Amino acid sequence: MNDVVQNADDRSGAVKAAGVSITDLRKSYGSNEVLKGISLEVKPGEVVCLIGPSGSGKSTLLRCVNLLEQPNVGSVHVGGFEATDPDVDIDKMRRKVGMVFQQFNLFPHLSALGNCTISQTKVLKRSQADASAVAMRNLERVGLGHLSDRFPDELSGGQQQRVAIARALSMDPELMLFDEPTSALDPETVGDVLAVMRNLAKEGMTMLVVTHEMGFAREVADRVVFMDGGVVVEEGVAEQVISAPTHARTKEFLRRVLDPTHIDIAE
Amino acid sequence: MAMTARQRARVSLYVQAGIFVVAMVALILATDWETISTSVFNFGKIGPMFPDIILVGLKNTLIYTALGFMVGLSGGLLLALMKLSSFPLYRWLATGYIEFFRGIPALLVFIAFGYGVPLAFGVSWNVTVVAMISLGMVAAAYIAETLRAGLQAVPKGQMEAARSLGMPQWRAMISIVIPQAFRIVLPPLTNEVILLTKDSSLIYVLGLTASQYELTKFGRDGISSLGAGLTPLLVAGAFYLVITIPLSLLARKFESRSARTKR
């Protein structure tokens, strides 16, 4: 992993990466406890994939990191910020944390370029010219420089998701959160989005990724965290968790995900 | 002779068209055109109404409506945001305002702002100001409900994406949510403008001088001054259509454009 960071440092404009530290995080919706005391460390430049069945709390955990969900108990540190401190400047912290959603959530009234510049000009107060230059650089980074004047409804799902990644990158984040980024995509466009994420990982970005793409997790993640029922069941090196899981629940989940055509309905 | 379903449907359409034509012919034959042309609609009396019906009547209707709409739109946006606020007092105030001004006749609002408020506070407002405030206050109540629906129709993910990019709540509202809400409510908003255009005639209760006449008052005045039956009023009515039909067409154009890009 150090090699990866080293490589990133060699590049011009290398990614400045922040770590994440989550301690005993709990989150309930009414009487339904979704996160039952989660602790998780992500080192700067590390790529961690969160896997697990739906309803296991992976997305909620991710959304607690940039406070789209307010945890009830526990603490979240991102870079130099304590996200869970009531006095934290949440907007300032979120500028350091890029978020990519399952449903893209591009702004439909703005072009791809406009999506990538609006927060730069309105929040970072960059000039329109500077913001456009940064946006174009990031659109080219995701392979869409030639479609910068297209509106979201003129782009395919995979292209929209890549614009969403470029939009997040345009704020120069030190941490990227991905919430099932390929789950809403047509199968043939998944590869383009994963390729962009793979490059980002190589550049040394800290990434926390909720995903069902086991191939991606195995190849790109430094670590894989398996969650079920609001707790971390198993975590470790990607290859080990996916190929040789130790817990029964992890084994069962992976069997279903990796070989969905051979599940006996009577089980 | 048995008919197929398609033949039966076609015959039914012919019968409906036939009934319509017969009804129109009966109506035309039964009309007393002699009386109509002298005391209801007299072509000869149209000429003298120009150019004042445009320079005074149409102009004032447009001015009163535009000013009223400006007040109504900004007030409506404020009320809509209050109604969606997490602070209960704002929600109650907005709900109270909306229910009140939607519930009472607009005519009463004109009387209140034309006579009551100036007396109560010792101010004197000219007709344009009264029209602007009265129309605006009523329009704000209707527009607020339209905009609230539009704001709520913007997917939650839009706000989340904007906040995730570091935008404060107010900035996300202004730059991301409100522009999309306006696109959604453009057709009903056009409807509000059309209603407002017609409501601007209520300013007559203030007693206007000739230069303040809007279309309806201009037409009513023409009935006595020109002695032309209902001609002036009918011409004034036609001028309302000159305003409202292009508005409808414009709205439809926007609607089809956003429908196309929405796919």
Side-chain angles (χ1 to χ4, degrees):
Chain A
M1 197 213 83
N2 277 333
D3 292 346
V4 173
V5 175
Q6 201 58 50
N7 285 343
D9 285 340
D10 292 343
R11 291 162 187 268
S12 59
V15 171
K16 187 169 171 244
V20 183
S21 173
I22 300 168
T23 313
D24 190 33
L25 203 70
R26 289 171 188 273
K27 170 71 184 173
S28 305
Y29 296 105
S31 61
N32 178 22
E33 193 170 38
V34 184
L35 299 179
K36 300 172 180 168
I38 304 267
S39 295
L40 181 66
E41 289 286 333
V42 183
K43 293 193 279 289
E46 194 177 23
V47 177
V48 173
C49 282
L50 293 171
I51 64 171
S54 60
S56 59
K58 327 177 283 290
S59 288
T60 306
L61 176 62
L62 196 73
R63 292 162 59 86
C64 280
V65 173
N66 74 346
L67 251 59
L68 283 181
E69 302 289 346
Q70 190 75 43
N72 301 109
V73 184
S75 72
V76 176
H77 288 258
V78 177
F81 290 92
E82 182 179 353
T84 37
D85 177 355
D87 294 327
V88 74
D89 183 345
I90 186 63
D91 297 319
K92 203 172 166 196
M93 190 203 89
R94 281 179 176 146
R95 288 175 216 164
K96 302 286 176 203
V97 183
M99 176 97 176
V100 175
F101 300 86
Q102 184 178 353
Q103 299 295 338
F104 329 136
N105 294 347
L106 287 183
F107 306 134
H109 61 304
L110 300 173
S111 67
L113 187 72
N115 267 276
C116 296
T117 55
I118 185 145
S119 206
Q120 294 187 65
T121 53
K122 303 296 186 194
V123 176
L124 301 180
K125 306 291 177 198
R126 286 179 183 156
S127 72
Q128 190 63 48
D130 288 351
S132 294
V134 172
M136 279 311 295
R137 200 158 63 230
N138 284 307
L139 284 169
E140 276 156 19
R141 202 166 159 190
V142 300
L144 293 174
H146 60 298
L147 299 180
S148 64
D149 57 350
R150 295 275 186 94
F151 281 76
D153 52 32
E154 301 166 332
L155 297 169
S156 74
Q159 290 169 336
Q160 288 190 54
Q161 192 61 296
R162 284 187 281 156
V163 171
I165 295 172
R167 174 175 72 177
L169 292 176
S170 294
M171 296 296 285
D172 303 327
E174 298 172 13
L175 161 70
M176 286 287 286
L177 306 174
F178 293 85
D179 189 3
E180 300 198 30
T182 58
S183 297
L185 296 179
D186 292 329
E188 76 270 20
T189 64
V190 168
D192 296 333
V193 172
L194 292 181
V196 166
M197 292 169 64
R198 195 178 294 121
N199 284 338
L200 207 52
K202 276 190 201 138
E203 288 171 29
M205 177 66 78
T206 314
M207 291 165 63
L208 195 49
V209 185
V210 173
T211 188
H212 294 293
E213 298 288 339
M214 292 306 145
F216 174 82
R218 191 198 307 245
E219 180 202 352
V220 179
D222 297 299
R223 268 189 308 139
V224 167
V225 175
F226 173 71
M227 285 177 68
D228 191 13
V231 296
V232 173
V233 175
E234 183 166 355
E235 66 172 292
V237 177
E239 183 62 34
Q240 179 233 307
V241 173
I242 293 173
S243 303
T246 53
H247 283 69
R249 275 194 283 178
T250 320
K251 284 178 188 164
E252 169 65 10
F253 171 75
L254 287 167
R255 192 173 69 80
R256 286 171 171 267
V257 171
L258 296 175
D259 194 11
T261 48
H262 290 95
I263 289 170
D264 186 352
I265 199 75
E267 286 180 43
Chain B
M1 181 185 73
M3 285 193 293
T4 65
R6 185 171 297 178
Q7 284 170 328
R8 268 202 304 277
R10 192 180 304 153
V11 169
S12 162
L13 277 180
Y14 285 142
V15 170
Q16 288 171 43
I19 291 172
F20 178 75
V21 170
V22 169
M24 289 306 288
V25 169
L27 206 59
I28 291 167
L29 291 178
T31 304
D32 179 355
W33 291 105
E34 185 73 29
T35 312
I36 290 279
S37 61
T38 52
S39 54
V40 180
F41 194 80
N42 187 336
F43 278 99
K45 302 285 186 178
I46 297 176
M49 298 181 67
F50 286 88
D52 279 3
I53 189 162
I54 294 174
L55 296 181
V56 179
L58 183 64
K59 186 195 81 177
N60 281 330
T61 291
L62 288 175
I63 289 176
Y64 299 153
T65 306
L67 291 174
F69 184 64
M70 268 168 46
V71 172
L73 192 62
S74 26
L77 182 58
L78 185 70
L79 286 165
L81 293 174
M82 284 170 71
K83 228 183 152 176
L84 296 175
S85 160
S86 53
F87 188 44
L89 178 65
Y90 284 162
R91 289 203 304 271
W92 296 334
L93 282 174
T95 306
Y97 179 100
I98 292 167
E99 292 304 328
F100 183 79
F101 280 94
R102 279 204 309 190
I104 60 171
L107 188 64
L108 297 190
V109 180
F110 275 86
I111 292 170
F113 284 101
Y115 298 108
V117 174
L119 279 178
F121 298 101
V123 291
S124 77
W125 283 340
N126 71 35
V127 165
T128 308
V129 173
V130 174
M132 176 173 88
I133 295 177
S134 311
L135 275 179
M137 297 285 273
V138 174
Y142 286 96
I143 291 174
E145 280 297 279
T146 306
L147 285 179
R148 180 192 56 74
L151 290 169
Q152 285 181 318
V154 176
K156 236 181 111 211
Q158 292 291 310
M159 177 56 92
E160 290 186 349
R163 297 305 305 274
S164 297
L165 288 165
M167 290 190 202
Q169 172 97 15
W170 62 269
R171 167 54 69 190
M173 267 308 206
I174 290 174
S175 293
I176 304 300
V177 178
I178 291 175
Q180 293 183 53
F182 268 103
R183 285 211 321 195
I184 295 170
V185 301
L186 203 66
L189 210 54
T190 317
N191 218 16
E192 312 286 359
V193 181
I194 288 173
L195 292 174
L196 208 58
T197 310
K198 296 182 292 177
D199 272 354
S200 67
S201 65
L202 295 172
I203 192 69
Y204 81 87
V205 291
L206 295 194
L208 309 176
T209 63
S211 67
Q212 296 166 335
Y213 286 0
E214 41 65 60
L215 282 171
T216 302
K217 179 65 182 159
F218 188 91
R220 279 155 52 115
D221 184 68
I223 292 175
S224 48
S225 64
L226 290 171
L230 294 176
T231 310
L233 211 50
L234 292 172
V235 174
F239 268 95
Y240 279 102
L241 298 181
V242 168
I243 302 174
T244 56
I245 289 177
L247 272 177
S248 298
L249 293 175
L250 203 66
R252 205 171 303 163
K253 204 173 144 189
F254 275 118
E255 206 171 347
S256 61
R257 179 180 304 171
S258 64
R260 191 175 61 230
T261 54
K262 276 249 154 24
R263 265 204 287 256

